[in-house]
Amino acid sequence: ELHFVVEGLWGPGVYASRSQTAHKVIGCMLLVGVLGWAAHIMQSASLERAYVISGMSLCFAGSYLGLWVLIFSAPEHVLDGLVWSYAERDLVQQQHLAISCLAVTGGVLEIL
């Protein structure tokens, strides 16, 4: 049986607001990658440049997602360990961390 403390991590509506902001930031970065490929398709950017733009946007999006789970979701509770305790037990946060790692890895591979 899983029990973990989340009381005090977020007030009413705070998690939803911070989550929505994170989705917007990550969505914008993914859009930058799409625009890099669109520029290549329209012959405004070389293939190499499209890979770099896409890779950098993926690295940034993945890094931001990981930092969001571990810090930005509740920066006021980083030092007391509540954020990490929540992240290591919540399946959604574990999925976010996995997506973060995959995005950064994919971004690095595109750049190389």
XYZ file of all heavy atoms in Angstrom:
852
model
N 0.850 -1.176 0.000
C 0.000 0.000 0.000
C 0.896 1.239 0.000
O 1.783 1.373 0.828
C -0.878 -0.039 1.239
C -1.902 1.033 1.261
C -2.833 0.860 2.453
O -3.007 -0.271 2.950
O -3.362 1.879 2.872
N 0.664 2.120 -0.950
C 1.478 3.332 -1.063
C 0.853 4.476 -0.277
O -0.318 4.769 -0.420
C 1.598 3.765 -2.517
C 2.514 2.950 -3.404
C 2.442 3.469 -4.832
C 3.939 3.002 -2.905
N 1.652 5.067 0.560
C 1.252 6.273 1.283
C 2.373 7.279 1.149
O 3.527 6.973 1.400
C 1.034 5.982 2.779
C -0.140 5.112 3.041
N -1.422 5.568 2.980
C -0.223 3.802 3.368
C -2.254 4.580 3.255
N -1.543 3.491 3.486
N 2.058 8.457 0.726
C 3.054 9.513 0.698
C 2.368 10.840 0.923
O 1.212 11.035 0.606
C 3.872 9.513 -0.591
C 3.057 9.504 -1.850
C 2.772 10.669 -2.518
C 2.612 8.306 -2.373
C 2.031 10.660 -3.683
C 1.869 8.289 -3.539
C 1.583 9.460 -4.199
N 3.137 11.745 1.492
C 2.593 13.028 1.890
C 2.572 13.975 0.694
O 3.570 14.156 0.022
C 3.466 13.640 3.012
C 2.948 15.009 3.399
C 3.495 12.717 4.205
N 1.406 14.542 0.422
C 1.325 15.601 -0.584
C 0.670 16.840 0.003
O 0.645 17.874 -0.632
C 0.551 15.157 -1.858
C 1.305 14.080 -2.575
C -0.850 14.736 -1.539
N 0.146 16.724 1.216
C -0.450 17.893 1.846
C 0.598 18.989 1.951
O 1.722 18.744 2.340
C -0.977 17.587 3.258
C -2.095 16.584 3.293
C -1.581 15.163 3.497
O -0.517 14.979 4.090
O -2.265 14.243 3.036
N 0.222 20.166 1.617
C 1.132 21.283 1.732
C 2.005 21.506 0.516
O 2.676 22.520 0.423
N 2.040 20.550 -0.400
C 2.837 20.756 -1.606
C 2.237 21.852 -2.478
O 2.952 22.706 -2.976
C 2.927 19.460 -2.419
C 4.140 18.584 -2.155
C 4.080 17.313 -2.992
C 5.435 19.309 -2.434
N 0.926 21.804 -2.661
C 0.264 22.782 -3.519
C -1.042 23.239 -2.894
O -1.783 22.443 -2.342
C -0.064 22.188 -4.889
C 1.132 21.701 -5.616
C 2.056 22.451 -6.267
C 1.554 20.347 -5.766
N 3.028 21.658 -6.811
C 2.733 20.357 -6.514
C 1.046 19.131 -5.333
C 3.419 19.203 -6.854
C 1.728 17.976 -5.667
C 2.906 18.025 -6.417
N -1.314 24.508 -3.021
C -2.611 25.030 -2.631
C -3.613 24.754 -3.751
O -3.241 24.244 -4.807
N -4.865 25.092 -3.546
C -5.884 24.854 -4.567
C -5.526 25.534 -5.894
O -5.232 26.727 -5.936
C -7.148 25.469 -3.964
C -6.896 25.527 -2.498
C -5.415 25.688 -2.340
N -5.500 24.749 -6.957
C -5.258 25.269 -8.296
C -3.811 25.550 -8.643
O -3.499 25.849 -9.795
N -2.894 25.441 -7.681
C -1.493 25.782 -7.939
C -0.847 24.757 -8.874
O -0.184 25.112 -9.844
C -0.690 25.900 -6.623
C 0.795 26.079 -6.888
C -1.234 27.043 -5.791
N -1.049 23.472 -8.579
C -0.451 22.429 -9.434
C -0.963 22.549 -10.862
O -0.176 22.499 -11.812
C -0.752 21.035 -8.874
C -0.152 19.925 -9.704
C 1.164 19.542 -9.513
C -0.890 19.276 -10.682
C 1.736 18.535 -10.271
C -0.331 18.267 -11.451
C 0.974 17.908 -11.233
O 1.536 16.904 -12.000
N -2.264 22.729 -11.021
C -2.845 22.840 -12.363
C -2.274 24.038 -13.105
O -1.957 23.950 -14.300
C -4.366 22.941 -12.270
N -2.112 25.149 -12.436
C -1.568 26.350 -13.058
C -0.112 26.154 -13.475
O 0.279 26.506 -14.594
C -1.679 27.525 -12.083
O -1.047 28.662 -12.606
N 0.684 25.576 -12.587
C 2.094 25.337 -12.903
C 2.235 24.300 -14.013
O 3.098 24.413 -14.880
C 2.854 24.905 -11.655
C 3.007 26.033 -10.661
C 3.744 25.615 -9.420
N 3.813 26.739 -8.483
C 4.247 26.637 -7.253
N 4.690 25.489 -6.787
N 4.265 27.702 -6.469
N 1.373 23.293 -13.993
C 1.386 22.271 -15.037
C 1.031 22.870 -16.387
O 1.657 22.562 -17.409
C 0.417 21.146 -14.674
O 0.349 20.195 -15.706
N 0.041 23.721 -16.403
C -0.367 24.362 -17.652
C 0.765 25.223 -18.212
O 1.033 25.204 -19.419
C -1.616 25.212 -17.424
C -2.173 25.807 -18.697
C -3.461 26.570 -18.440
O -3.676 27.111 -17.356
N -4.315 26.619 -19.436
N 1.442 25.945 -17.363
C 2.585 26.752 -17.793
C 3.673 25.857 -18.389
O 4.234 26.170 -19.445
C 3.152 27.567 -16.621
O 2.134 28.433 -16.125
C 4.364 28.369 -17.034
N 3.961 24.749 -17.719
C 4.987 23.820 -18.215
C 4.604 23.259 -19.582
O 5.451 23.157 -20.476
C 5.193 22.685 -17.214
N 3.339 22.901 -19.754
C 2.895 22.378 -21.054
C 3.055 23.431 -22.151
O 3.422 23.110 -23.280
C 1.454 21.882 -20.975
C 1.337 20.529 -20.355
N 1.130 20.361 -19.011
C 1.405 19.291 -20.895
C 1.079 19.064 -18.745
N 1.254 18.388 -19.873
N 2.802 24.674 -21.822
C 2.971 25.750 -22.811
C 4.438 25.922 -23.187
O 4.771 26.067 -24.374
C 2.414 27.062 -22.264
C 0.910 27.094 -22.202
C 0.425 28.400 -21.577
C -1.085 28.415 -21.440
N -1.562 29.643 -20.770
N 5.327 25.922 -22.200
C 6.760 26.091 -22.465
C 7.267 24.940 -23.332
O 7.951 25.153 -24.346
C 7.566 26.170 -21.145
C 9.065 26.076 -21.403
C 7.226 27.442 -20.393
N 6.929 23.714 -22.958
C 7.388 22.545 -23.710
C 6.781 22.534 -25.111
O 7.470 22.240 -26.093
C 7.074 21.254 -22.934
C 7.942 21.213 -21.671
C 7.314 20.018 -23.797
C 7.537 20.173 -20.666
N 5.514 22.886 -25.213
C 4.868 22.959 -26.529
C 5.536 23.969 -27.438
O 5.738 23.710 -28.634
N 5.912 25.112 -26.896
C 6.616 26.142 -27.690
C 7.962 25.620 -28.174
O 8.356 25.862 -29.321
C 6.794 27.417 -26.887
S 5.266 28.351 -26.675
N 8.673 24.907 -27.312
C 9.971 24.372 -27.721
C 9.811 23.309 -28.803
O 10.610 23.252 -29.740
C 10.733 23.807 -26.521
C 11.246 24.880 -25.581
S 12.028 26.307 -26.392
C 13.310 25.541 -27.344
N 8.804 22.482 -28.700
C 8.566 21.481 -29.741
C 8.170 22.157 -31.048
O 8.552 21.709 -32.134
C 7.513 20.471 -29.287
C 7.922 19.620 -28.074
C 6.786 18.691 -27.672
C 9.188 18.831 -28.364
N 7.444 23.254 -30.949
C 7.082 24.027 -32.140
C 8.331 24.587 -32.821
O 8.418 24.606 -34.055
C 6.113 25.151 -31.775
C 5.686 26.063 -32.914
C 4.961 25.261 -34.006
C 4.791 27.178 -32.390
N 9.312 25.012 -32.032
C 10.575 25.501 -32.601
C 11.226 24.396 -33.435
O 11.715 24.638 -34.552
C 11.533 25.996 -31.495
C 12.944 26.212 -32.034
C 10.992 27.267 -30.861
N 11.214 23.168 -32.923
C 11.768 22.039 -33.677
C 11.023 21.802 -34.973
O 11.631 21.571 -36.029
N 9.709 21.870 -34.922
C 8.890 21.698 -36.131
C 9.203 22.803 -37.137
O 9.319 22.550 -38.347
C 7.387 21.676 -35.770
C 6.519 21.768 -37.017
C 7.053 20.423 -34.979
N 9.351 24.029 -36.646
C 9.671 25.140 -37.541
C 11.049 24.968 -38.174
O 11.257 25.368 -39.330
C 9.572 26.477 -36.796
C 8.164 26.880 -36.362
C 8.208 28.149 -35.518
C 7.251 27.049 -37.560
N 11.975 24.384 -37.456
C 13.294 24.088 -38.020
C 13.186 23.124 -39.195
O 13.815 23.326 -40.240
N 12.356 22.093 -39.022
C 12.162 21.144 -40.124
C 11.366 21.775 -41.261
O 11.634 21.517 -42.437
C 11.484 19.869 -39.628
C 12.455 19.015 -38.884
C 12.475 18.762 -37.539
C 13.588 18.347 -39.427
N 13.542 17.976 -37.229
C 14.241 17.693 -38.363
C 14.113 18.230 -40.716
C 15.398 16.942 -38.552
C 15.269 17.475 -40.893
C 15.893 16.841 -39.821
N 10.418 22.626 -40.933
C 9.652 23.327 -41.981
C 10.581 24.212 -42.801
O 10.458 24.284 -44.036
C 8.529 24.154 -41.353
N 11.519 24.870 -42.150
C 12.478 25.715 -42.861
C 13.322 24.866 -43.809
O 13.625 25.283 -44.932
C 13.369 26.466 -41.877
N 13.684 23.668 -43.378
C 14.451 22.775 -44.256
C 13.606 22.337 -45.453
O 14.094 22.351 -46.592
C 14.940 21.554 -43.482
C 15.564 20.516 -44.363
N 16.728 20.745 -45.045
C 15.158 19.274 -44.692
C 17.034 19.670 -45.753
N 16.089 18.769 -45.547
N 12.365 21.975 -45.204
C 11.479 21.541 -46.283
C 11.292 22.659 -47.303
O 11.245 22.417 -48.509
C 10.127 21.060 -45.711
C 10.338 19.747 -44.953
C 9.083 20.904 -46.804
C 9.164 19.317 -44.109
N 11.210 23.888 -46.807
C 11.025 25.037 -47.703
C 12.364 25.539 -48.247
O 12.435 26.593 -48.862
C 10.287 26.154 -46.969
C 8.875 25.743 -46.604
S 7.958 26.876 -45.531
C 8.596 28.452 -45.870
N 13.426 24.781 -47.995
C 14.778 25.065 -48.479
C 15.339 26.386 -47.958
O 16.128 27.049 -48.621
C 14.823 25.009 -50.008
C 14.439 23.650 -50.531
C 14.438 23.571 -52.051
O 14.502 24.575 -52.738
N 14.363 22.348 -52.549
N 14.920 26.753 -46.752
C 15.452 27.942 -46.098
C 16.532 27.591 -45.081
O 17.200 28.474 -44.561
C 14.339 28.700 -45.377
O 13.382 29.150 -46.295
N 16.663 26.306 -44.778
C 17.673 25.846 -43.827
C 18.246 24.521 -44.322
O 17.527 23.713 -44.916
C 17.065 25.667 -42.434
N 19.515 24.332 -44.076
C 20.155 23.073 -44.489
C 19.663 21.930 -43.598
O 19.093 22.155 -42.521
C 21.670 23.206 -44.366
O 22.037 23.332 -42.998
N 19.926 20.721 -44.044
C 19.568 19.542 -43.259
C 20.293 19.568 -41.919
O 19.702 19.289 -40.871
C 19.913 18.268 -44.038
C 19.629 16.944 -43.338
C 18.131 16.806 -43.048
C 20.121 15.782 -44.193
N 21.559 19.936 -41.950
C 22.353 20.004 -40.721
C 21.752 21.010 -39.733
O 21.627 20.740 -38.543
C 23.785 20.397 -41.077
C 24.751 20.265 -39.930
C 26.182 20.497 -40.397
O 26.720 19.629 -41.099
O 26.724 21.564 -40.053
N 21.359 22.163 -40.230
C 20.771 23.192 -39.372
C 19.430 22.716 -38.799
O 19.124 22.974 -37.632
C 20.579 24.493 -40.125
C 20.033 25.594 -39.214
C 20.167 26.918 -39.840
N 21.587 27.212 -39.933
C 22.088 28.430 -39.981
N 21.293 29.463 -39.948
N 23.376 28.630 -40.072
N 18.634 22.030 -39.602
C 17.343 21.512 -39.115
C 17.558 20.520 -37.977
O 16.836 20.550 -36.976
C 16.568 20.863 -40.263
N 18.564 19.648 -38.116
C 18.873 18.706 -37.044
C 19.299 19.433 -35.773
O 18.899 19.065 -34.668
C 19.981 17.734 -37.468
C 19.472 16.491 -38.159
C 19.817 16.225 -39.476
C 18.666 15.578 -37.496
C 19.374 15.079 -40.120
C 18.204 14.436 -38.120
C 18.559 14.190 -39.439
O 18.112 13.063 -40.058
N 20.114 20.459 -35.902
C 20.586 21.209 -34.738
C 19.425 21.931 -34.055
O 19.291 21.889 -32.830
C 21.715 22.191 -35.129
C 22.020 23.146 -33.986
C 22.955 21.429 -35.533
N 18.585 22.594 -34.845
C 17.433 23.307 -34.273
C 16.509 22.329 -33.558
O 16.095 22.547 -32.418
C 16.669 24.081 -35.360
C 17.518 25.236 -35.878
C 15.324 24.592 -34.829
C 16.966 25.888 -37.135
N 16.190 21.232 -34.230
C 15.299 20.228 -33.640
C 15.923 19.607 -32.395
O 15.261 19.441 -31.370
C 14.991 19.151 -34.682
O 14.191 18.147 -34.131
N 17.207 19.276 -32.482
C 17.892 18.656 -31.347
C 17.972 19.573 -30.144
O 17.745 19.158 -29.006
N 18.278 20.835 -30.404
C 18.361 21.788 -29.296
C 16.998 22.007 -28.652
O 16.888 22.108 -27.425
C 18.954 23.110 -29.779
C 20.434 23.006 -30.085
S 21.160 24.522 -30.699
C 21.016 25.569 -29.272
N 15.948 22.071 -29.463
C 14.618 22.270 -28.887
C 14.200 21.052 -28.070
O 13.585 21.191 -27.015
C 13.592 22.602 -29.967
O 13.316 21.495 -30.777
N 14.547 19.854 -28.549
C 14.241 18.638 -27.781
C 15.022 18.600 -26.471
O 14.473 18.243 -25.424
C 14.579 17.396 -28.602
C 13.458 16.705 -29.331
C 13.991 15.494 -30.096
C 12.345 16.302 -28.415
N 16.306 18.953 -26.533
C 17.125 18.979 -25.306
C 16.553 19.967 -24.292
O 16.454 19.668 -23.103
C 18.566 19.345 -25.630
S 19.521 18.004 -26.329
N 16.179 21.142 -24.767
C 15.627 22.139 -23.859
C 14.299 21.661 -23.277
O 14.079 21.758 -22.067
C 15.434 23.480 -24.561
C 14.866 24.528 -23.642
C 15.705 25.262 -22.816
C 13.508 24.762 -23.582
C 15.186 26.212 -21.949
C 12.983 25.705 -22.711
C 13.821 26.435 -21.899
N 13.422 21.134 -24.135
C 12.117 20.659 -23.654
C 12.290 19.539 -22.632
O 11.636 19.535 -21.584
C 11.258 20.197 -24.829
N 13.177 18.598 -22.920
C 13.409 17.491 -21.992
C 14.021 17.952 -20.684
O 13.630 17.500 -19.608
N 14.984 18.864 -20.777
C 15.616 19.393 -19.562
C 14.599 20.152 -18.719
O 14.551 20.000 -17.493
C 16.776 20.320 -19.925
O 17.760 19.613 -20.620
N 13.804 20.971 -19.380
C 12.785 21.735 -18.656
C 11.792 20.797 -17.965
O 11.423 21.012 -16.807
C 12.052 22.684 -19.603
C 11.011 23.516 -18.898
C 11.365 24.693 -18.253
C 9.679 23.108 -18.850
C 10.415 25.447 -17.580
C 8.726 23.857 -18.180
C 9.100 25.022 -17.550
O 8.162 25.760 -16.881
N 11.375 19.735 -18.668
C 10.422 18.799 -18.073
C 11.010 18.143 -16.833
O 10.343 18.046 -15.795
C 9.999 17.741 -19.102
C 9.008 16.689 -18.622
C 7.724 17.331 -18.114
C 8.711 15.705 -19.745
N 12.248 17.689 -16.922
C 12.891 17.083 -15.749
C 13.014 18.058 -14.595
O 12.738 17.719 -13.437
N 13.416 19.278 -14.916
C 13.520 20.298 -13.872
C 12.163 20.656 -13.305
O 12.035 20.950 -12.110
C 14.214 21.550 -14.424
C 15.702 21.412 -14.694
C 16.231 22.634 -15.437
C 16.462 21.186 -13.405
N 11.139 20.623 -14.137
C 9.798 20.929 -13.653
C 9.374 19.900 -12.610
O 8.856 20.255 -11.552
C 8.774 20.966 -14.794
C 7.458 21.454 -14.305
C 7.054 22.744 -14.192
C 6.375 20.660 -13.802
N 5.794 22.806 -13.644
C 5.352 21.536 -13.398
C 6.176 19.291 -13.647
C 4.154 21.098 -12.863
C 4.977 18.844 -13.110
C 3.985 19.760 -12.730
N 9.592 18.629 -12.914
C 9.201 17.574 -11.968
C 9.956 17.730 -10.656
O 9.365 17.603 -9.580
C 9.455 16.170 -12.577
C 9.314 15.084 -11.520
C 8.509 15.910 -13.739
N 11.253 18.009 -10.732
C 12.094 18.002 -9.536
C 12.206 19.344 -8.817
O 12.579 19.380 -7.647
C 13.493 17.507 -9.904
C 13.533 16.083 -10.472
C 14.926 15.752 -10.948
C 13.032 15.078 -9.450
N 11.886 20.442 -9.517
C 12.049 21.757 -8.885
C 10.851 22.670 -9.131
O 10.205 23.129 -8.196
C 13.342 22.460 -9.386
C 14.561 21.645 -8.996
C 13.435 23.872 -8.826
C 15.866 22.160 -9.578
N 10.570 22.961 -10.403
C 9.605 24.001 -10.738
C 8.167 23.694 -10.316
O 7.374 24.611 -10.159
C 9.626 24.306 -12.234
C 10.959 24.758 -12.758
C 11.343 24.459 -14.045
C 11.845 25.481 -11.968
C 12.565 24.873 -14.536
C 13.067 25.901 -12.442
C 13.433 25.590 -13.732
N 7.828 22.416 -10.135
C 6.452 22.085 -9.742
C 6.138 22.587 -8.337
O 4.998 22.937 -8.037
C 6.205 20.579 -9.830
O 7.037 19.888 -8.925
N 7.133 22.617 -7.470
C 6.947 23.112 -6.097
C 8.292 23.589 -5.558
O 8.880 22.965 -4.673
C 6.363 22.019 -5.206
N 8.813 24.697 -6.086
C 10.150 25.146 -5.681
C 10.277 25.425 -4.186
O 11.365 25.309 -3.621
C 10.379 26.407 -6.507
C 9.037 26.835 -6.978
C 8.191 25.602 -7.041
N 9.174 25.756 -3.560
C 9.211 26.048 -2.130
C 9.399 24.796 -1.276
O 9.627 24.889 -0.066
C 7.941 26.807 -1.700
C 6.657 26.055 -1.919
C 6.092 26.142 -3.347
O 6.755 26.676 -4.243
O 4.977 25.649 -3.554
N 9.322 23.599 -1.907
C 9.466 22.348 -1.150
C 10.624 21.490 -1.638
O 10.676 20.298 -1.361
C 8.168 21.544 -1.211
C 7.057 22.172 -0.456
N 7.031 22.235 0.911
C 5.943 22.806 -0.887
C 5.937 22.860 1.294
N 5.271 23.230 0.229
N 11.571 22.086 -2.355
C 12.721 21.324 -2.835
C 13.626 20.949 -1.666
O 14.028 19.795 -1.525
C 13.509 22.117 -3.899
C 14.820 21.431 -4.230
C 12.662 22.297 -5.146
N 13.937 21.904 -0.829
C 14.895 21.665 0.257
C 14.369 20.716 1.326
O 15.157 20.007 1.962
C 15.335 22.990 0.883
C 16.111 23.922 -0.047
C 16.463 25.219 0.678
C 17.358 23.243 -0.568
N 13.057 20.684 1.532
C 12.534 19.781 2.569
C 12.273 18.369 2.035
O 11.854 17.488 2.780
C 11.272 20.346 3.229
C 10.120 20.572 2.271
O 10.158 20.044 1.144
O 9.180 21.291 2.651
N 12.552 18.131 0.747
C 12.460 16.783 0.182
C 11.079 16.330 -0.233
O 10.920 15.217 -0.728
N 10.065 17.156 -0.040
C 8.709 16.723 -0.393
C 8.522 16.529 -1.890
O 7.829 15.611 -2.320
C 7.678 17.730 0.130
C 7.424 17.729 1.628
C 6.412 18.810 1.997
C 6.943 16.372 2.095
N 9.160 17.373 -2.705
C 9.013 17.250 -4.152
C 9.595 15.921 -4.624
O 8.984 15.196 -5.396
C 9.684 18.424 -4.894
C 9.616 18.239 -6.392
C 9.027 19.730 -4.504
N 10.809 15.591 -4.162
C 11.437 14.337 -4.565
C 10.632 13.147 -4.059
O 10.429 12.168 -4.783
C 12.870 14.255 -4.059
C 13.485 12.932 -4.375
C 13.786 11.937 -3.505
C 13.825 12.441 -5.675
N 14.295 10.854 -4.172
C 14.324 11.141 -5.511
C 13.738 12.972 -6.960
C 14.752 10.356 -6.585
C 14.170 12.193 -8.024
C 14.671 10.909 -7.831
N 10.153 13.215 -2.834
C 9.349 12.131 -2.272
C 8.105 11.892 -3.116
O 7.736 10.756 -3.397
C 8.960 12.474 -0.831
O 8.160 11.469 -0.280
N 7.472 12.962 -3.546
C 6.287 12.850 -4.401
C 6.665 12.313 -5.782
O 6.029 11.397 -6.295
C 5.609 14.214 -4.520
C 4.421 14.211 -5.446
C 3.242 13.557 -5.090
C 4.480 14.850 -6.677
C 2.152 13.544 -5.941
C 3.398 14.846 -7.533
C 2.236 14.188 -7.164
O 1.160 14.174 -8.013
N 7.724 12.860 -6.371
C 8.109 12.480 -7.733
C 8.510 11.022 -7.835
O 8.215 10.364 -8.831
C 9.247 13.371 -8.221
N 9.165 10.497 -6.806
C 9.617 9.111 -6.898
C 8.496 8.099 -6.661
O 8.659 6.924 -6.978
C 10.788 8.857 -5.948
C 10.438 8.808 -4.491
C 11.644 8.535 -3.604
O 12.726 8.216 -4.129
O 11.486 8.633 -2.383
N 7.353 8.546 -6.172
C 6.248 7.630 -5.901
C 5.053 7.810 -6.833
O 4.205 6.932 -6.914
C 5.792 7.803 -4.456
C 6.802 7.291 -3.459
C 6.320 7.505 -2.033
N 7.224 6.920 -1.071
C 8.302 7.529 -0.584
N 8.599 8.734 -0.974
N 9.067 6.927 0.293
N 4.986 8.919 -7.526
C 3.839 9.199 -8.393
C 4.139 8.720 -9.808
O 5.122 9.136 -10.424
C 3.540 10.699 -8.395
C 2.323 11.025 -9.235
O 1.217 10.573 -8.860
O 2.480 11.716 -10.258
N 3.284 7.861 -10.343
C 3.505 7.271 -11.661
C 3.589 8.333 -12.756
O 4.428 8.241 -13.656
C 2.408 6.252 -11.985
C 2.556 5.520 -13.315
C 3.875 4.764 -13.372
C 1.386 4.573 -13.527
N 2.756 9.351 -12.695
C 2.783 10.400 -13.718
C 4.128 11.124 -13.701
O 4.706 11.394 -14.758
C 1.612 11.385 -13.531
C 1.744 12.567 -14.470
C 0.283 10.684 -13.741
N 4.643 11.413 -12.519
C 5.939 12.100 -12.434
C 7.072 11.191 -12.908
O 8.027 11.656 -13.544
C 6.193 12.614 -11.016
C 5.139 13.559 -10.497
C 4.751 14.651 -11.485
O 5.591 15.227 -12.162
N 3.466 14.934 -11.586
N 6.965 9.898 -12.637
C 7.956 8.949 -13.144
C 7.924 8.912 -14.670
O 8.974 8.876 -15.327
C 7.700 7.558 -12.584
C 7.957 7.443 -11.104
C 7.511 6.114 -10.538
O 7.230 5.175 -11.263
N 7.457 6.026 -9.216
N 6.723 8.963 -15.243
C 6.601 9.006 -16.698
C 7.196 10.294 -17.249
O 7.890 10.278 -18.271
C 5.140 8.882 -17.114
C 4.559 7.513 -16.857
C 3.045 7.469 -17.059
O 2.380 8.497 -17.015
N 2.525 6.272 -17.262
N 6.951 11.413 -16.567
C 7.518 12.683 -16.998
C 9.052 12.626 -16.988
O 9.709 13.141 -17.907
C 7.040 13.831 -16.110
C 5.646 14.277 -16.403
N 4.761 14.583 -15.409
C 4.992 14.474 -17.568
C 3.613 14.949 -15.951
N 3.734 14.895 -17.268
N 9.625 12.017 -15.964
C 11.085 11.904 -15.896
C 11.620 11.010 -17.014
O 12.671 11.293 -17.594
C 11.522 11.396 -14.524
C 11.343 12.387 -13.383
C 11.639 11.723 -12.033
C 12.227 13.608 -13.579
N 10.900 9.932 -17.325
C 11.311 9.058 -18.433
C 11.238 9.801 -19.766
O 12.162 9.728 -20.591
C 10.438 7.803 -18.466
N 10.162 10.546 -19.983
C 10.018 11.343 -21.202
C 11.139 12.369 -21.281
O 11.716 12.603 -22.348
C 8.632 12.023 -21.250
C 7.530 10.984 -21.403
C 8.568 13.055 -22.374
C 6.129 11.521 -21.127
N 11.464 12.980 -20.154
C 12.538 13.965 -20.092
C 13.859 13.353 -20.551
O 14.564 13.918 -21.394
C 12.661 14.488 -18.662
O 13.820 15.259 -18.507
N 14.193 12.206 -20.010
C 15.449 11.531 -20.382
C 15.463 11.164 -21.858
O 16.476 11.339 -22.547
C 15.646 10.274 -19.536
S 15.980 10.619 -17.803
N 14.349 10.654 -22.365
C 14.274 10.277 -23.775
C 14.380 11.496 -24.689
O 15.028 11.442 -25.740
C 12.979 9.518 -24.051
C 12.904 8.127 -23.417
C 11.493 7.558 -23.554
C 13.920 7.202 -24.047
N 13.757 12.596 -24.304
C 13.818 13.813 -25.125
C 15.239 14.357 -25.178
O 15.726 14.731 -26.252
C 12.853 14.871 -24.583
N 15.910 14.401 -24.043
C 17.293 14.896 -24.021
C 18.191 13.974 -24.849
O 19.004 14.443 -25.658
C 17.819 15.037 -22.576
C 19.314 15.316 -22.562
C 17.065 16.141 -21.844
N 18.035 12.672 -24.691
C 18.835 11.712 -25.461
C 18.578 11.864 -26.955
O 19.517 11.916 -27.751
C 18.515 10.266 -25.017
O 18.786 10.141 -23.619
C 19.341 9.264 -25.794
N 17.311 11.954 -27.337
C 16.967 12.142 -28.743
C 17.519 13.446 -29.294
O 18.028 13.491 -30.414
N 17.451 14.503 -28.498
C 17.975 15.791 -28.916
C 19.477 15.747 -29.131
O 19.995 16.265 -30.132
N 20.183 15.106 -28.212
C 21.638 14.991 -28.347
C 21.981 14.193 -29.600
O 22.884 14.557 -30.363
C 22.255 14.352 -27.090
C 23.703 13.941 -27.320
C 22.160 15.295 -25.902
N 21.266 13.109 -29.837
C 21.526 12.304 -31.029
C 21.260 13.081 -32.311
O 21.972 12.895 -33.306
C 20.691 11.023 -30.999
C 21.117 10.008 -29.922
C 20.151 8.845 -29.880
C 22.540 9.539 -30.175
N 20.253 13.943 -32.310
C 19.999 14.759 -33.500
C 21.127 15.761 -33.728
O 21.504 16.028 -34.867
C 18.669 15.493 -33.385
C 17.480 14.615 -33.655
C 16.194 15.385 -33.824
O 16.155 16.592 -33.513
O 15.226 14.786 -34.298
N 21.648 16.316 -32.669
C 22.732 17.303 -32.793
C 24.015 16.638 -33.296
O 24.751 17.214 -34.096
C 22.957 18.026 -31.461
C 21.730 18.891 -31.127
C 24.213 18.878 -31.502
C 21.725 19.451 -29.734
N 24.266 15.426 -32.801
C 25.496 14.726 -33.209
C 25.358 14.260 -34.630
O 26.231 14.066 -35.371
C 25.759 13.545 -32.277
C 26.022 13.907 -30.819
C 26.222 12.649 -29.999
C 27.229 14.805 -30.696
